Amino acid sequence: RAPSVSIRALLIGNNGNTILFNASFNPAETWHREIFIGVRASNVGDLAGADTSADEAAIQAGFASAVAAINAGNLPGFMAFVHLDYLNNGETRADFETKAQQDLISQVSQGGQMGYVLGTITIQGDLAYVPVTWTFSIGGQQQVDHETLILKKESGVWGIYGNQVRHRVSVSSQHW
């Protein structure tokens, strides 16, 4: 007769992406356990429980100083938070700077103010994914925009990096 063995599974941590199987639990053999752990992770740092609080604090401080620079009309101060290799859907760092001058700095000079709220920052190696809710207020009107920015850490400094996509092609079809 085979010994009574119960197989148990338990979900633990990592947003439910870790499963612990205790495949050979026999109450009579407390000294013996065969355990299989299955883990789904997008980054090995996720498994190690890497402490990213210093990076998160640096990113938060970077956003605070970048937005303060915009609100002070200081474009170079804002651009200090933009990575030198910035590229987002074909927009280069120079394009982004021109757009910031035309759209943000010009509106701030007319009394506009920018604000932001950061969502949960996800850090994967030297890249960070930061959901941002932007607000811009001018003349009693407020605009709200949501996006997820990609930041890159280089030489210990985080900067807005973009998605590194050179071209964006959209295709749609219509039936007439």
Side-chain angles (χ1 to χ4, degrees), residues 31 40 50 74 77 86 111 117 142 154 162 170:
W31 55 271
R40 183 184 77 171
N74 178 0
Y86 175 88
V117 174
Q142 185 176 44
E154 193 165 301
S170 297

Side-chain angles (χ1 to χ4, degrees), residues 56 118-123 129-132 148:
E56 290 174 23
L118 300 182
T120 301
I121 299 170
T122 302
I123 296 175
Y129 301 87
V130 185
V132 184
T148 297

Side-chain angles (χ1 to χ4, degrees), residues 43-107:
N43 183 341
V44 176
D46 295 344
L47 302 177
D51 183 8
T52 59
S53 58
D55 284 322
E56 290 174 23
I59 290 168
Q60 292 166 349
F63 269 93
S65 49
V67 171
I70 283 290
N71 287 331
N74 178 0
L75 184 60
F78 172 72
M79 291 304 295
F81 191 58
V82 179
H83 196 279
L84 293 175
D85 294 328
Y86 175 88
L87 179 65
N88 196 69
N89 294 327
E91 181 181 66
T92 65
R93 187 177 194 276
D95 298 334
F96 184 72
E97 185 172 15
T98 299
K99 189 169 90 172
Q101 175 67 47
Q102 293 170 349
D103 297 346
L104 299 175
I105 299 297
S106 65
Q107 291 183 31

